[in-house]
């Protein structure tokens, strides 16, 4: 269970203080695929970065499996981040490493021996459908294939939670659908809790079970995906529906 309780986060800018998150509270059940959706600037990326403490909230709590991450030191958080991994819109692969070595990288950092890391990396490349691309470099792959490598790398440390920050925004619709199908399969087969940050309603409707709508740093609506989108109560939800049409 991920519990976000009364989280506030602000940033100082040249134009003044920006309140990115305002008293955000959410509960995400274990094994869920949970969508957080909102227009640009709603605070989505700040929220996902608070979940793994890449950004520390100004106040409030982020509790995963009963541990309040806001109370942990940076050293303790390094261990947590092996359990709460992340994929991004830009893939963030190491261009000088081939696919196999990209997936091995977090295993090497954790101290796993080379032979065991290689075996684990090949198993993960097989899961994402790229075992035959183990020796290929990122520049030789399509965007969808690069994202599959990034997913394999994120799974290397056997995480409990996978955070996806606009992970399909750079992909065409067909590739997006294949990546979402892969995420659904990983969720079902491995039992990993998935949190998807997006501005695309189609992504949430395709793969998510529950959704929260973020608007100007606040949760304005949340619940079952079908219910929220069939009977929107907030202006932000209605705006998202209008953009879909």
């Amino acid at each position: 269970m991920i519990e976000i309780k009364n989280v506030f986060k602000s940033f100082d800018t040249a134009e003044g203080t920006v309140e990115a998150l305002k008293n955000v509270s959410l509960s995400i059940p274990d094994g869920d695929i949970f969508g957080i959706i909102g227009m640009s600037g709603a605070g989505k990326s700040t929220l996902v970065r608070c979940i793994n403490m890449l950004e520390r909230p100004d106040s409030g709590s982020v509790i995963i499996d009963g541990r309040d991450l806001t109370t942990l030191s940076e050293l303790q958080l390094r261990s947590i981040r092996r359990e709460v991994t992340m994929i991004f819109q830009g893939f963030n692969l190491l261009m000088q490493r081939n696919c196999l070595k990209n997936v091995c990288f977090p295993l090497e950092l954790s101290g796993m021996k080379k032979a065991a890391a290689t075996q684990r990396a090949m198993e993960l490349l097989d899961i994402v459908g790229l075992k035959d691309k183990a020796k290929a470099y990122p520049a030789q792959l399509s965007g969808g294939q690069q994202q599959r490598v990034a997913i394999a790398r994120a799974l290397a440390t056997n995480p409990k939670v996978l955070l996806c920050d606009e992970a399909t925004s750079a992909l065409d619709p067909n590739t997006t659908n294949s990546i979402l199908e892969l995420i659904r399969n990983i969720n079902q087969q491995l039992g990993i809790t998935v949190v998807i940050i997006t501005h695309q309603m189609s992504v949430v409707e395709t793969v998510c079970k529950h959704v929260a709508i973020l608007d100007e740093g606040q949760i304005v609506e949340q619940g079952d995906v079908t219910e929220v989108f069939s009977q929107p109560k907030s202006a932000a939800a209605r705006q998202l529906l209008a953009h879909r049409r």
Side-chain angles (χ1 to χ4, degrees):
M1 173 75 78
I2 301 172
E3 296 179 88
I4 301 166
K5 297 182 177 180
N6 309 115
V7 165
F8 288 81
K9 179 65 181 179
S10 61
F11 299 96
D12 292 327
T13 71
E15 289 74 33
T17 300
V18 174
E19 293 182 302
L21 299 174
K22 308 170 190 175
N23 199 28
V24 170
S25 294
L26 279 177
S27 292
I28 301 173
D30 288 340
D32 202 0
I33 304 180
F34 194 100
I36 299 174
I37 188 170
M39 303 297 284
S40 179
K44 304 185 298 299
S45 290
T46 300
L47 179 55
V48 76
R49 288 171 66 84
C50 284
I51 292 176
N52 62 3
M53 290 291 115
L54 289 176
E55 294 285 357
R56 283 188 177 266
D58 298 331
S59 61
S61 302
V62 178
I63 301 168
I64 299 180
D65 288 343
R67 294 172 293 183
D68 185 352
L69 272 55
T70 64
T71 67
L72 302 183
S73 67
E74 274 302 314
L75 183 61
Q76 291 170 314
L77 286 173
R78 287 179 199 167
S79 175
I80 292 293
R81 290 185 187 120
R82 288 196 288 269
E83 300 178 9
V84 184
T85 55
M86 196 166 180
I87 57 172
F88 306 86
Q89 177 179 349
F91 317 135
N92 288 10
L93 298 177
L94 300 169
M95 302 304 287
Q96 73 277 20
R97 285 176 168 247
N98 63 29
C99 294
L100 178 64
K101 291 183 178 180
N102 262 281
V103 181
C104 283
F105 186 60
L107 299 171
E108 293 170 2
L109 292 178
S110 70
M112 184 179 287
K113 292 183 178 179
K114 183 177 179 180
T118 298
Q119 180 179 347
R120 173 65 176 157
M122 287 301 294
E123 290 170 356
L124 291 166
L125 286 172
D126 193 25
I127 287 173
V128 302
L130 287 181
K131 191 173 183 179
D132 62 329
K133 299 291 186 182
K135 299 298 184 182
Y137 286 81
Q140 298 172 301
L141 304 179
S142 68
Q145 289 173 328
Q146 290 186 57
Q147 192 60 285
R148 285 173 180 267
V149 176
I151 291 170
R153 183 181 61 185
L155 296 177
T157 54
N158 294 310
K160 297 177 180 178
V161 179
L162 177 63
L163 306 176
C164 307
D165 189 7
E166 298 282 8
T168 60
S169 294
L171 306 176
D172 64 71
N174 288 337
T175 305
T176 291
N177 287 335
S178 71
I179 293 296
L180 294 178
E181 183 64 27
L182 174 61
I183 288 172
R184 181 190 287 112
N185 290 339
I186 287 168
N187 166 259
Q188 292 173 348
Q189 293 173 18
L190 304 180
I192 295 173
T193 303
V194 180
V195 181
I196 295 178
I197 303 293
T198 185
H199 65 275
Q200 299 170 293
M201 281 195 63
S202 59
V203 168
V204 172
E205 290 177 305
T206 297
V207 75
C208 295
K209 302 172 186 176
H210 299 94
V211 64
I213 296 176
L214 199 61
D215 186 40
E216 296 184 351
Q218 296 178 297
I219 300 293
V220 295
E221 195 165 350
Q222 59 180 300
D224 178 89
V225 168
T226 302
E227 292 177 6
V228 169
F229 289 156
S230 63
Q231 296 179 316
K233 297 179 176 64
S234 64
R238 291 191 289 271
Q239 183 181 19
L240 287 164
L241 282 165
H243 275 267
R244 179 182 65 174
R245 298 187 188 104

